[in-house]
Amino acid sequence: MSVKVITVGREFGSGGRSVGKAVAAALGWDYYDQELVRHVAEKTGFAERYIEETGEYSASKSRLAYAFSSVGSPEVMNGLSASDYLWTVQRKVILDLAEKGNCVIVGRCADLVLTGQDVDCLSLFICAPFEWRVHHRMELENLDEKAARALVEKTDAQREKYYTHYTGRPWGLPENYDICINSARLGIDRTAALLAEHCRELFSNPC
């Protein structure tokens, strides 16, 4: 039987990361977000901070002033831009992690990476109204409304650019995902509980 994987795409401020973590905990599955970053850092020599800032937000050439940790060097990139090199390694890490067992993977185009692989992959996309997301970030980061609004707009634009560049398809388009859900309707906790219940039933009774 193939490994089961849930991938989580999300609009910034929708609570997608929290939903993914809660779903993984409810199912007893591995959860890859920050740990995925650590795996990529080990393989590339990139600093974790750089991977977090570039790993799903940039599709252009990036400054390397702080990209590499003490064990990394630009020579290993074989002429690729930093973002393209990071993409190739990140893709391999996602494939490796998916082979280890049932898991939830957040972001980083994992839905596209796992398409056609020997895994039973369910892709989720978590969204919410823009104003709700702005106020959610205000609460989480103690930001004023102007700063939160700018942050949400900027991060969404960066994610959209990255996803479209490396997948060749629109980011957030409902037909590209198995399930799209508005986390503002039920709240983050209830959204996660609903999805966990649905995923458990779906994977137990495949069509």
Side-chain angles (χ1 to χ4, degrees), residues 23-50:
V23 168
L27 297 176
W29 291 10
D30 291 328
Y31 171 76
Y32 297 116
D33 182 9
Q34 187 61 40
E35 186 172 344
L36 191 154
V37 170
R38 287 194 290 270
H39 279 280
V40 174
E42 291 171 359
K43 290 182 177 294
T44 62
F46 282 166
E48 290 187 22
R49 173 191 165 200
Y50 180 78

Side-chain angles (χ1 to χ4, degrees), residues 4 198-206:
K4 299 174 179 62
H198 179 72
C199 292
R200 185 181 294 109
E201 180 179 352
L202 183 64
F203 283 122
S204 298
N205 302 287

Side-chain angles (χ1 to χ4, degrees), residues 7-10 17 31-41 47-58 86-95 97 104-114 124-125 159 162-164 166-167 169 171 177:
T7 63
V8 182
R10 73 278 189 229
R17 176 173 286 173
Y31 171 76
Y32 297 116
D33 182 9
Q34 187 61 40
E35 186 172 344
L36 191 154
V37 170
R38 287 194 290 270
H39 279 280
V40 174
E48 290 187 22
R49 173 191 165 200
Y50 180 78
I51 295 168
E52 285 193 295
E53 293 183 3
T54 306
E56 62 176 334
Y57 299 124
S58 172
L86 180 57
W87 162 256
T88 62
V89 176
Q90 186 170 265
R91 180 181 182 279
K92 181 62 166 59
V93 168
I94 289 171
L95 293 171
L97 293 175
V104 174
I105 301 176
V106 174
R108 298 175 178 82
C109 306
D111 55 322
L112 187 282
V113 171
L114 296 174
L124 310 180
F125 190 81
R159 285 182 180 172
Y162 182 89
Y163 186 89
T164 302
Y166 286 111
T167 69
R169 62 188 188 186
W171 176 74
Y177 305 90

Side-chain angles (χ1 to χ4, degrees), residues 106-137:
V106 174
R108 298 175 178 82
C109 306
D111 55 322
L112 187 282
V113 171
L114 296 174
T115 298
Q117 304 298 319
D118 187 24
V119 296
D120 188 357
C121 183
L122 181 72
S123 59
L124 310 180
F125 190 81
I126 314 300
C127 61
F130 179 76
E131 296 298 333
W132 189 90
R133 293 187 287 125
V134 168
H135 285 89
H136 184 219
R137 298 314 302 183

